[in-house]
Tab-separated table of all heavy atoms in Angstrom:
chain	number	residue	atom	x	y	z
A	90	ALA	N	87.926	284.790	-82.290
A	90	ALA	CA	87.380	284.633	-83.632
A	90	ALA	C	86.004	283.957	-83.564
A	90	ALA	O	85.263	283.793	-84.591
A	90	ALA	CB	88.296	283.864	-84.537
A	91	VAL	N	85.582	283.401	-82.388
A	91	VAL	CA	84.391	282.683	-82.293
A	91	VAL	C	83.314	283.597	-81.684
A	91	VAL	O	83.391	284.019	-80.548
A	91	VAL	CB	84.530	281.458	-81.361
A	91	VAL	CG1	83.235	280.674	-81.185
A	91	VAL	CG2	85.707	280.535	-81.809
A	92	PRO	N	82.275	283.864	-82.481
A	92	PRO	CA	81.197	284.810	-82.039
A	92	PRO	C	80.550	284.374	-80.791
A	92	PRO	O	80.346	283.203	-80.559
A	92	PRO	CB	80.206	284.809	-83.163
A	92	PRO	CG	80.918	284.210	-84.407
A	92	PRO	CD	82.049	283.319	-83.842
A	93	ASP	N	80.368	285.256	-79.837
A	93	ASP	CA	79.631	285.010	-78.616
A	93	ASP	C	80.387	284.035	-77.633
A	93	ASP	O	79.739	283.550	-76.773
A	93	ASP	CB	78.174	284.477	-78.958
A	93	ASP	CG	77.465	285.426	-79.779
A	93	ASP	OD1	77.406	286.580	-79.458
A	93	ASP	OD2	76.848	284.938	-80.869
A	94	SER	N	81.664	283.844	-77.934
A	94	SER	CA	82.364	282.887	-77.083
A	94	SER	C	82.452	283.377	-75.708
A	94	SER	O	82.464	282.534	-74.688
A	94	SER	CB	83.790	282.645	-77.676
A	94	SER	OG	84.456	283.907	-77.865
A	95	ALA	N	82.446	284.664	-75.449
A	95	ALA	CA	82.623	285.220	-74.100
A	95	ALA	C	81.318	284.755	-73.297
A	95	ALA	O	81.447	284.346	-72.173
A	95	ALA	CB	82.735	286.691	-74.087
A	96	GLU	N	80.145	284.891	-73.967
A	96	GLU	CA	78.977	284.500	-73.263
A	96	GLU	C	78.922	283.048	-72.938
A	96	GLU	O	78.530	282.673	-71.794
A	96	GLU	CB	77.813	284.844	-74.232
A	96	GLU	CG	76.615	285.494	-73.527
A	96	GLU	CD	75.611	285.957	-74.656
A	96	GLU	OE1	75.983	286.628	-75.586
A	96	GLU	OE2	74.418	285.518	-74.521
A	97	VAL	N	79.336	282.206	-73.861
A	97	VAL	CA	79.396	280.815	-73.664
A	97	VAL	C	80.359	280.425	-72.511
A	97	VAL	O	80.094	279.563	-71.677
A	97	VAL	CB	79.737	280.051	-74.977
A	97	VAL	CG1	79.965	278.530	-74.695
A	97	VAL	CG2	78.761	280.299	-76.073
A	98	MET	N	81.494	281.111	-72.502
A	98	MET	CA	82.498	280.825	-71.457
A	98	MET	C	81.996	281.230	-70.074
A	98	MET	O	82.173	280.532	-69.066
A	98	MET	CB	83.772	281.677	-71.712
A	98	MET	CG	84.585	281.255	-72.942
A	98	MET	SD	85.102	279.472	-72.919
A	98	MET	CE	85.895	279.408	-71.374
A	99	GLN	N	81.300	282.321	-70.019
A	99	GLN	CA	80.744	282.810	-68.712
A	99	GLN	C	79.722	281.807	-68.149
A	99	GLN	O	79.779	281.452	-67.010
A	99	GLN	CB	80.031	284.158	-68.951
A	99	GLN	CG	79.915	284.921	-67.637
A	99	GLN	CD	80.503	286.285	-67.703
A	99	GLN	OE1	80.429	286.900	-68.715
A	99	GLN	NE2	81.145	286.709	-66.641
A	100	LEU	N	78.946	281.266	-69.070
A	100	LEU	CA	77.924	280.224	-68.636
A	100	LEU	C	78.687	279.033	-68.088
A	100	LEU	O	78.371	278.525	-67.011
A	100	LEU	CB	77.135	279.765	-69.828
A	100	LEU	CG	76.061	278.747	-69.510
A	100	LEU	CD1	74.808	279.471	-69.057
A	100	LEU	CD2	75.768	277.851	-70.686
A	101	ALA	N	79.695	278.534	-68.831
A	101	ALA	CA	80.380	277.328	-68.484
A	101	ALA	C	81.101	277.562	-67.104
A	101	ALA	O	81.162	276.676	-66.195
A	101	ALA	CB	81.465	276.951	-69.512
A	102	GLN	N	81.708	278.741	-66.930
A	102	GLN	CA	82.387	279.109	-65.710
A	102	GLN	C	81.571	279.029	-64.496
A	102	GLN	O	81.991	278.521	-63.447
A	102	GLN	CB	82.909	280.554	-65.837
A	102	GLN	CG	84.251	280.614	-66.320
A	102	GLN	CD	85.066	281.570	-65.458
A	102	GLN	OE1	84.673	282.718	-65.314
A	102	GLN	NE2	86.141	281.094	-64.855
A	103	SER	N	80.284	279.370	-64.607
A	103	SER	CA	79.406	279.300	-63.510
A	103	SER	C	78.703	278.004	-63.266
A	103	SER	O	78.359	277.631	-62.254
A	103	SER	CB	78.418	280.499	-63.504
A	103	SER	OG	77.503	280.290	-64.615
A	104	MET	N	78.560	277.193	-64.382
A	104	MET	CA	77.881	275.953	-64.348
A	104	MET	C	78.857	274.796	-63.879
A	104	MET	O	78.458	273.963	-63.200
A	104	MET	CB	77.197	275.632	-65.625
A	104	MET	CG	76.049	276.508	-66.023
A	104	MET	SD	74.482	275.536	-66.335
A	104	MET	CE	75.181	274.025	-67.016
A	105	ARG	N	80.027	274.812	-64.505
A	105	ARG	CA	80.946	273.753	-64.260
A	105	ARG	C	82.354	274.237	-64.439
A	105	ARG	O	83.075	273.870	-65.352
A	105	ARG	CB	80.647	272.554	-65.202
A	105	ARG	CG	80.945	271.231	-64.583
A	105	ARG	CD	80.060	270.070	-65.143
A	105	ARG	NE	79.799	269.955	-66.507
A	105	ARG	CZ	80.715	269.541	-67.415
A	105	ARG	NH1	81.989	269.227	-67.041
A	105	ARG	NH2	80.413	269.498	-68.671
A	106	PRO	N	82.815	275.016	-63.500
A	106	PRO	CA	84.124	275.713	-63.597
A	106	PRO	C	85.279	274.670	-63.709
A	106	PRO	O	86.293	274.943	-64.395
A	106	PRO	CB	84.275	276.446	-62.232
A	106	PRO	CG	83.191	276.081	-61.392
A	106	PRO	CD	82.111	275.418	-62.306
A	107	GLU	N	85.099	273.505	-63.134
A	107	GLU	CA	86.106	272.528	-63.202
A	107	GLU	C	86.390	271.941	-64.584
A	107	GLU	O	87.332	271.291	-64.852
A	107	GLU	CB	85.898	271.392	-62.167
A	107	GLU	CG	84.730	270.442	-62.618
A	107	GLU	CD	83.349	270.955	-62.300
A	107	GLU	OE1	83.272	272.129	-62.009
A	107	GLU	OE2	82.412	270.216	-62.481
A	108	SER	N	85.421	272.284	-65.491
A	108	SER	CA	85.636	271.770	-66.873
A	108	SER	C	86.571	272.685	-67.716
A	108	SER	O	86.897	272.299	-68.797
A	108	SER	CB	84.260	271.646	-67.577
A	108	SER	OG	83.744	272.894	-67.870
A	109	LEU	N	87.007	273.749	-67.095
A	109	LEU	CA	87.878	274.694	-67.902
A	109	LEU	C	89.272	274.666	-67.218
A	109	LEU	O	89.598	275.485	-66.441
A	109	LEU	CB	87.263	276.033	-67.796
A	109	LEU	CG	85.787	276.204	-68.343
A	109	LEU	CD1	85.304	277.585	-68.178
A	109	LEU	CD2	85.771	275.763	-69.860
A	110	ASP	N	90.099	273.715	-67.755
A	110	ASP	CA	91.438	273.591	-67.183
A	110	ASP	C	92.225	274.806	-67.088
A	110	ASP	O	92.886	275.137	-66.033
A	110	ASP	CB	92.268	272.538	-68.035
A	110	ASP	CG	91.565	271.149	-67.918
A	110	ASP	OD1	90.775	270.934	-66.983
A	110	ASP	OD2	91.883	270.287	-68.762
A	111	PRO	N	92.360	275.597	-68.118
A	111	PRO	CA	93.209	276.805	-68.078
A	111	PRO	C	92.912	277.745	-66.918
A	111	PRO	O	93.794	278.399	-66.416
A	111	PRO	CB	92.950	277.534	-69.431
A	111	PRO	CG	92.454	276.460	-70.333
A	111	PRO	CD	91.749	275.504	-69.485
A	112	MET	N	91.715	277.789	-66.444
A	112	MET	CA	91.403	278.611	-65.279
A	112	MET	C	92.087	278.120	-64.084
A	112	MET	O	92.507	278.848	-63.134
A	112	MET	CB	89.917	278.628	-65.065
A	112	MET	CG	89.070	279.158	-66.185
A	112	MET	SD	89.514	280.828	-66.753
A	112	MET	CE	88.917	280.865	-68.442
A	113	GLY	N	92.215	276.749	-63.949
A	113	GLY	CA	92.946	276.229	-62.891
A	113	GLY	C	94.455	276.589	-62.953
A	113	GLY	O	95.067	276.952	-61.902
A	114	TRP	N	95.038	276.565	-64.131
A	114	TRP	CA	96.447	276.910	-64.293
A	114	TRP	C	96.721	278.359	-63.849
A	114	TRP	O	97.643	278.712	-63.213
A	114	TRP	CB	96.923	276.753	-65.718
A	114	TRP	CG	96.535	275.436	-66.370
A	114	TRP	CD1	96.337	274.249	-65.707
A	114	TRP	CD2	96.323	275.155	-67.745
A	114	TRP	NE1	96.019	273.244	-66.537
A	114	TRP	CE2	96.008	273.755	-67.843
A	114	TRP	CE3	96.436	275.830	-68.963
A	114	TRP	CZ2	95.794	273.164	-69.105
A	114	TRP	CZ3	96.155	275.217	-70.132
A	114	TRP	CH2	95.903	273.897	-70.184
A	115	LEU	N	95.733	279.262	-64.248
A	115	LEU	CA	95.813	280.610	-63.914
A	115	LEU	C	95.968	280.853	-62.439
A	115	LEU	O	96.868	281.569	-61.923
A	115	LEU	CB	94.561	281.323	-64.460
A	115	LEU	CG	94.675	282.809	-64.863
A	115	LEU	CD1	95.843	283.025	-65.766
A	115	LEU	CD2	93.368	283.197	-65.518
A	116	LEU	N	95.154	280.155	-61.670
A	116	LEU	CA	95.212	280.228	-60.245
A	116	LEU	C	96.545	279.744	-59.718
A	116	LEU	O	97.117	280.399	-58.846
A	116	LEU	CB	94.075	279.318	-59.665
A	116	LEU	CG	93.614	279.593	-58.182
A	116	LEU	CD1	93.092	280.995	-58.117
A	116	LEU	CD2	92.586	278.578	-57.753
A	117	GLU	N	97.009	278.642	-60.236
A	117	GLU	CA	98.255	278.065	-59.880
A	117	GLU	C	99.374	279.108	-60.106
A	117	GLU	O	100.223	279.343	-59.177
A	117	GLU	CB	98.512	276.869	-60.690
A	117	GLU	CG	99.598	275.926	-60.281
A	117	GLU	CD	99.763	274.792	-61.323
A	117	GLU	OE1	98.713	274.404	-61.993
A	117	GLU	OE2	100.886	274.321	-61.437
A	118	PHE	N	99.418	279.727	-61.218
A	118	PHE	CA	100.508	280.640	-61.543
A	118	PHE	C	100.503	281.935	-60.733
A	118	PHE	O	101.432	282.485	-60.384
A	118	PHE	CB	100.431	281.061	-63.033
A	118	PHE	CG	100.674	279.919	-64.014
A	118	PHE	CD1	100.982	278.596	-63.481
A	118	PHE	CD2	100.685	280.103	-65.397
A	118	PHE	CE1	101.233	277.535	-64.358
A	118	PHE	CE2	100.967	279.049	-66.250
A	118	PHE	CZ	101.195	277.814	-65.748
A	119	LEU	N	99.269	282.302	-60.371
A	119	LEU	CA	99.162	283.454	-59.463
A	119	LEU	C	99.756	283.219	-58.162
A	119	LEU	O	100.506	284.072	-57.500
A	119	LEU	CB	97.655	283.873	-59.347
A	119	LEU	CG	97.062	284.675	-60.510
A	119	LEU	CD1	95.559	284.691	-60.430
A	119	LEU	CD2	97.605	286.144	-60.581
A	120	SER	N	99.543	282.007	-57.669
A	120	SER	CA	100.134	281.585	-56.462
A	120	SER	C	101.664	281.614	-56.505
A	120	SER	O	102.341	282.179	-55.613
A	120	SER	CB	99.681	280.152	-56.068
A	120	SER	OG	98.721	280.203	-54.982
A	121	ILE	N	102.132	280.939	-57.575
A	121	ILE	CA	103.584	280.951	-57.771
A	121	ILE	C	104.215	282.346	-57.858
A	121	ILE	O	105.242	282.672	-57.294
A	121	ILE	CB	103.941	280.189	-59.120
A	121	ILE	CG1	103.540	278.691	-58.913
A	121	ILE	CG2	105.423	280.333	-59.402
A	121	ILE	CD1	103.650	277.911	-60.131
A	122	ALA	N	103.442	283.215	-58.469
A	122	ALA	CA	103.892	284.615	-58.651
A	122	ALA	C	103.984	285.329	-57.276
A	122	ALA	O	104.483	286.480	-57.235
A	122	ALA	CB	103.030	285.358	-59.588
A	123	GLY	N	103.303	284.798	-56.302
A	123	GLY	CA	103.489	285.445	-54.975
A	123	GLY	C	102.123	286.062	-54.451
A	123	GLY	O	102.178	286.699	-53.445
A	124	VAL	N	101.050	285.877	-55.204
A	124	VAL	CA	99.754	286.414	-54.696
A	124	VAL	C	99.359	285.525	-53.535
A	124	VAL	O	99.341	284.253	-53.717
A	124	VAL	CB	98.737	286.412	-55.825
A	124	VAL	CG1	97.359	286.806	-55.291
A	124	VAL	CG2	99.154	287.340	-56.921
A	125	PRO	N	98.997	286.061	-52.440
A	125	PRO	CA	98.657	285.267	-51.258
A	125	PRO	C	97.426	284.363	-51.570
A	125	PRO	O	96.534	284.781	-52.354
A	125	PRO	CB	98.185	286.350	-50.221
A	125	PRO	CG	98.867	287.625	-50.616
A	125	PRO	CD	99.035	287.528	-52.138
A	126	GLU	N	97.467	283.172	-50.999
A	126	GLU	CA	96.346	282.208	-51.184
A	126	GLU	C	95.047	282.852	-51.111
A	126	GLU	O	94.095	282.661	-51.962
A	126	GLU	CB	96.450	281.104	-50.193
A	126	GLU	CG	97.528	280.087	-50.383
A	126	GLU	CD	97.315	279.290	-51.640
A	126	GLU	OE1	96.166	278.931	-51.968
A	126	GLU	OE2	98.298	278.892	-52.261
A	127	ALA	N	94.847	283.707	-50.083
A	127	ALA	CA	93.520	284.251	-49.810
A	127	ALA	C	93.137	285.222	-50.882
A	127	ALA	O	91.839	285.399	-51.152
A	127	ALA	CB	93.587	285.035	-48.472
A	128	ASP	N	94.024	285.767	-51.732
A	128	ASP	CA	93.708	286.708	-52.763
A	128	ASP	C	93.656	286.100	-54.075
A	128	ASP	O	93.112	286.705	-55.035
A	128	ASP	CB	94.690	287.891	-52.733
A	128	ASP	CG	94.701	288.693	-51.495
A	128	ASP	OD1	93.712	288.545	-50.728
A	128	ASP	OD2	95.642	289.536	-51.278
A	129	ALA	N	94.308	284.968	-54.343
A	129	ALA	CA	94.446	284.400	-55.636
A	129	ALA	C	93.158	284.296	-56.391
A	129	ALA	O	93.126	284.529	-57.588
A	129	ALA	CB	95.159	283.099	-55.568
A	130	THR	N	92.098	283.788	-55.777
A	130	THR	CA	90.816	283.630	-56.424
A	130	THR	C	90.212	284.934	-56.803
A	130	THR	O	89.702	285.058	-57.932
A	130	THR	CB	89.835	282.831	-55.468
A	130	THR	OG1	90.478	281.737	-54.979
A	130	THR	CG2	88.657	282.314	-56.341
A	131	TYR	N	90.290	285.890	-56.017
A	131	TYR	CA	89.921	287.256	-56.353
A	131	TYR	C	90.630	287.776	-57.587
A	131	TYR	O	90.112	288.249	-58.504
A	131	TYR	CB	90.167	288.318	-55.208
A	131	TYR	CG	89.320	288.102	-53.929
A	131	TYR	CD1	89.754	288.738	-52.800
A	131	TYR	CD2	88.203	287.337	-53.954
A	131	TYR	CE1	88.974	288.593	-51.599
A	131	TYR	CE2	87.398	287.240	-52.759
A	131	TYR	CZ	87.873	287.900	-51.659
A	131	TYR	OH	87.173	287.797	-50.499
A	132	ALA	N	91.972	287.584	-57.473
A	132	ALA	CA	92.902	288.086	-58.526
A	132	ALA	C	92.511	287.445	-59.867
A	132	ALA	O	92.481	288.092	-60.917
A	132	ALA	CB	94.328	287.841	-58.197
A	133	ARG	N	92.204	286.116	-59.815
A	133	ARG	CA	91.892	285.420	-61.051
A	133	ARG	C	90.537	285.993	-61.653
A	133	ARG	O	90.446	286.234	-62.853
A	133	ARG	CB	91.677	283.989	-60.778
A	133	ARG	CG	91.304	283.243	-62.120
A	133	ARG	CD	91.223	281.810	-61.958
A	133	ARG	NE	90.230	281.413	-60.922
A	133	ARG	CZ	89.875	280.153	-60.695
A	133	ARG	NH1	90.446	279.182	-61.321
A	133	ARG	NH2	89.079	279.857	-59.706
A	134	HIS	N	89.699	286.303	-60.698
A	134	HIS	CA	88.352	286.894	-61.173
A	134	HIS	C	88.622	288.165	-61.979
A	134	HIS	O	88.018	288.396	-62.945
A	134	HIS	CB	87.494	287.209	-59.891
A	134	HIS	CG	86.307	286.269	-59.826
A	134	HIS	ND1	85.107	286.583	-60.271
A	134	HIS	CD2	86.219	285.039	-59.339
A	134	HIS	CE1	84.281	285.573	-60.049
A	134	HIS	NE2	84.915	284.634	-59.458
Side-chain angles (χ1 to χ4, degrees):
Chain A
V91 180
D93 305 309
S94 53
E96 225 173 305
V97 176
M98 294 303 305
Q99 200 122 42
L100 182 86
Q102 266 228 303
S103 63
M104 292 235 328
R105 211 146 48 71
E107 73 280 11
S108 72
L109 302 175
D110 295 343
M112 301 299 159
W114 310 335
L115 208 49
L116 198 62
E117 193 184 333
F118 294 0
L119 281 165
S120 255
I121 294 174
V124 175
E126 284 295 325
D128 294 347
T130 312
Y131 292 165
R133 179 177 58 175
H134 252 264

